[in-house]
Amino acid sequence: VPKKLVTTVSSCADDTLTGLVACNPGLRLLQGHRVVLRNDLAAIRGRVAVLSGGGSGHEPAHAGYVGKGMLTGVVAGAVFASPSVGSVLTAIRAVTQAGAAGVLLIVKNYTGDRLNFGMALERARAEGTDVRMVVVGDDCAFTAPGKAGRRGICGTVLIHKVAGALAEAGASLDEIEKKVMAATKVMGTLGLSLSPCSIPGSKPSFQLAADEMELGLGIHGEAGVRRMKVLPADKAVETMLKHMTDPSSASHLPLTPGSSVVLVVNNLGGLSCLELGIVAGAAVRCLENRGICIARALVGSFMTALEMAGVSLTLMLVDEELVRLIDAKTTAMAWPNLLAGPATTRREEIPAPVEGPRKPQDETGTGPGSARVQRVLERVCSTLLDMQDKLNELDRGAGDGDCGHTHARAAQAIREWVRARPPPAAPAQLLSALADVVLEEMGGSSGVLYGLFLTAAARSLRDRSDFPAWADAMDAGIEAMQRYGGAAPGDRTMLDSLFAAAQALRSLRTPGANLLQVLAAAVQSAEAAAEATRHMEAAAGRASYVRSSRLEQPDAGAVAVAAVLRAVLE
């Protein structure tokens, strides 16, 4: 039996309503019943009350749609079970006593719901209440629906909205019944699922093979019309829309080019939001290609089937009045708070800002300085390319074994960049340009860390390039890496080698320092620090998730940095 996060199986339908009401100041429970009502019942005096409901397990339906401008109240059954006649009748009495000018019941087309709501309606009428019932059957799955008719699924939510907006505007029960009946006839829904669902305490309702999807299944896990191999999202959406609009099917929705629709892309409960967005984009594109205008699109979880990984598409043919009713304000928590406007994949993109022209000193360098830079960069690149396998091997124990690949990618990119145009000789421009190349091509967090280091170091060298400026640049680069990367010396990262070299380079601030001696000391310090990471506990980076007993090797990043410094400073 699949795991569920419930308190007890028997109380789950009550507990979910209790939670919803606890978190929503606009809702109240009706004492002794699984009924949720608006907390401002006085506001419906003289207006039509709109009630709906059905089994639990379809959350946020139905209680999520209670609010001003939508439902006055809902009656919930146990999971996937119709509510009792007594609870429906009590809800009707509660809104009638609050002064409602008639009651409209919106019921999904299932035998249990029709019977229980119907029986309550008859008894309320016997008490003198004007009650009407609209049965919604929007399922397009079956090409020849049997005697039971079409099932009521996610389209019901649009009917809640239309009825609630009319009632809020003060329409009469006759007018609401007529307009709502008309809306149910221009609407269709179709589901598609990748997995079954399971009632708390029970096994899944059906099985689907790992490579199968099912078309047209119901919101209780009832069978659909056909099983097929899993399709990519765009093809799946095309298949769904084709089935929904197939003229040879008795339950199809007639869609002609130029039609206006409201589209609902509904998560059946267990699909990731990432997949839902992909399906939504595919649905809009597919409808646009058929010449359909998507007046509004709603994307989210509207009527679910517990944890079923699937999606349903609802289309309602709309005129201006229906769009106005869909747009009307509501306080219902599950109705999306969207900017009113059509859906389209053809929205103009905001142009990306263009970089300003480079300053003259940014131009490429020529002369002896530039040639020396080229030689040094070529040496760095060769070193990193030669070390690729070694670095990958060192990284395998602690990370994902790609440190060598990442550095080789950077080396390849720098080599191509140098060969395409002579690099600038001015230190600040050179480091900035290298930062751009590394950020663009290297990838991984090391790419960003090198980018941070080079960008900050370049800033220190903007107007000076004396020896102390290089020591300042090293410190500025390390400070930037620490600020954003969060590592400190001793955390077993590339920073250990850099920090050791920086300590040695500080001697450059002493007047008359011997450059070659200081550089040699910096390289030796970096190499010793890299070797010392072998005995450190990783406290930052991906290696920090690995037990230190497994890290007998030095840190790959630290080794790479030491090798780069040797290539640069030799």
Side-chain angles (χ1 to χ4, degrees):
V1 173
K3 290 178 281 198
K4 300 279 177 184
L5 205 52
V6 296
T7 306
T8 67
V9 167
S10 58
S11 70
C12 61
D14 295 293
D15 294 346
T16 192
L17 287 186
T18 304
L20 190 76
V21 171
C23 296
N24 190 326
L27 303 180
R28 291 282 184 278
L29 282 165
L30 189 58
Q31 197 176 0
H33 292 275
R34 216 182 272 133
V35 171
V36 175
L37 295 165
R38 279 171 61 171
N39 75 330
D40 56 347
L41 280 184
I44 68 158
R45 179 168 294 282
R47 284 193 167 90
V48 172
V50 184
L51 298 177
S52 187
S56 296
H58 304 303
E59 292 72 20
H62 303 81
Y65 302 112
V66 175
K68 184 181 157 128
M70 214 157 168
L71 299 177
T72 316
V74 298
V75 192
V79 175
F80 292 174
S82 297
S84 68
V85 174
S87 288
V88 178
L89 185 57
T90 309
I92 295 170
R93 285 174 181 155
V95 295
T96 305
Q97 281 165 23
V103 180
L104 180 72
L105 304 178
I106 296 172
V107 179
K108 299 194 300 306
N109 186 26
Y110 296 100
T111 307
D113 287 4
R114 281 202 321 266
L115 287 172
N116 291 318
F117 278 88
M119 181 70 234
L121 172 142
E122 292 300 332
R123 289 183 57 185
R125 277 188 183 162
E127 293 172 7
T129 309
D130 191 0
V131 193
R132 319 278 174 86
M133 180 160 108
V134 170
V135 177
V136 182
D138 56 318
D139 186 14
C140 293
F142 298 99
T143 49
K147 198 171 178 186
R150 294 163 65 181
R151 298 175 290 203
I153 44 180
C154 186
T156 312
V157 175
L158 294 178
I159 298 302
H160 291 161
K161 184 69 180 63
V162 168
L166 285 165
E168 184 57 37
S172 70
L173 186 53
D174 283 335
E175 186 191 346
I176 297 175
E177 184 185 26
K178 185 168 138 259
K179 286 184 171 167
V180 164
M181 291 287 284
T184 61
K185 292 188 166 66
V186 289
M187 176 173 76
T189 300
L190 187 67
L192 175 79
S193 183
L194 308 175
S195 84
C197 59
S198 58
I199 292 175
S202 306
K203 288 198 165 86
S205 48
F206 59 91
Q207 293 298 328
L208 272 176
D211 62 346
E212 280 184 323
M213 51 183 14
E214 180 148 352
L215 187 72
L217 70 185
I219 51 171
H220 310 94
E222 318 93 309
V225 282
R226 77 171 198 264
R227 286 193 178 183
M228 50 200 186
K229 294 287 183 213
V230 171
L231 297 170
D234 51 351
K235 294 280 184 287
V237 165
E238 262 172 52
T239 305
M240 291 172 82
L241 290 171
K242 195 168 161 195
H243 186 93
M244 289 170 78
T245 56
D246 177 3
S248 69
S249 162
S251 59
H252 81 285
L253 181 72
L255 261 200
T256 49
S259 305
S260 255
V261 297
V262 165
L263 163 73
V264 182
V265 182
N266 171 55
N267 189 342
L268 285 171
L271 203 69
S272 70
C273 297
L274 178 121
E275 292 160 280
L276 196 68
I278 294 168
V279 170
V284 171
R285 203 163 36 249
C286 197
L287 288 166
E288 278 183 327
N289 291 344
R290 290 174 163 225
I292 307 298
C293 162
I294 303 125
R296 300 289 180 268
L298 295 97
V299 183
S301 298
F302 298 100
M303 187 172 286
T304 62
L306 293 167
E307 81 283 33
M308 186 182 282
V311 64
S312 70
L313 299 179
T314 299
L315 294 173
M316 179 190 262
L317 290 163
V318 290
D319 53 17
E320 278 177 27
E321 185 190 13
L322 276 175
V323 171
R324 256 198 319 277
L325 295 168
I326 294 290
D327 285 344
K329 284 274 165 271
T330 176
T331 61
M333 62 176 291
W335 186 260
N337 181 16
L338 266 186
L339 197 61
T344 173
T345 55
R346 296 163 191 158
R347 287 194 213 289
E348 206 175 317
E349 295 186 349
I350 296 171
V354 210
E355 272 191 68
R358 287 183 173 265
K359 294 192 227 57
Q361 73 259 37
D362 293 5
E363 293 309 313
T364 54
T366 48
S370 182
R372 189 164 66 246
V373 166
Q374 261 173 297
R375 273 201 309 280
V376 170
L377 289 177
E378 187 53 54
R379 201 158 59 226
V380 169
C381 294
S382 306
T383 303
L384 289 176
L385 289 165
D386 291 345
M387 292 178 75
Q388 180 170 350
D389 293 340
K390 179 187 172 182
L391 291 176
N392 282 339
E393 190 51 49
L394 288 177
D395 192 33
R396 245 170 235 128
D400 42 10
D402 68 346
C403 182
H405 290 318
T406 310
H407 281 80
R409 231 188 348 263
Q412 206 52 56
I414 291 169
R415 188 176 260 179
E416 282 165 23
W417 173 71
V418 169
R419 288 175 184 176
R421 45 180 279 189
Q429 274 83 54
L430 174 66
L431 297 192
S432 284
L434 281 171
D436 288 346
V437 175
V438 165
L439 284 168
E440 193 75 25
E441 304 291 343
M442 188 170 186
S445 31
S446 37
V448 184
L449 286 163
Y450 279 115
L452 278 166
F453 177 84
L454 291 165
T455 303
R459 212 169 297 132
S460 297
L461 294 166
R462 201 167 277 162
D463 303 309
R464 45 193 276 250
S465 57
D466 52 346
F467 291 169
W470 284 94
D472 292 348
M474 191 77 164
D475 288 348
I478 287 171
E479 195 273 324
M481 286 171 96
Q482 282 185 271
R483 188 177 339 136
Y484 296 105
D491 284 348
R492 196 183 189 281
T493 68
M494 63 199 287
L495 201 70
D496 289 304
S497 299
L498 275 173
F499 191 77
Q503 300 284 78
L505 288 180
R506 280 177 191 167
S507 315
L508 290 176
R509 296 194 180 102
T510 316
N514 180 321
L515 178 63
L516 293 177
Q517 273 174 5
V518 173
L519 297 183
V523 170
Q524 278 159 6
S525 303
E527 288 174 340
E531 180 54 33
T533 60
R534 184 191 291 272
H535 311 295
M536 288 177 190
E537 176 109 10
R542 189 169 286 158
S544 60
Y545 309 122
V546 180
R547 283 209 315 282
S548 56
S549 56
R550 290 190 37 218
L551 303 172
E552 297 96 11
Q553 308 266 42
D555 178 67
V559 170
V561 164
V564 168
L565 286 169
R566 175 166 286 283
V568 170
L569 301 178
E570 271 195 329

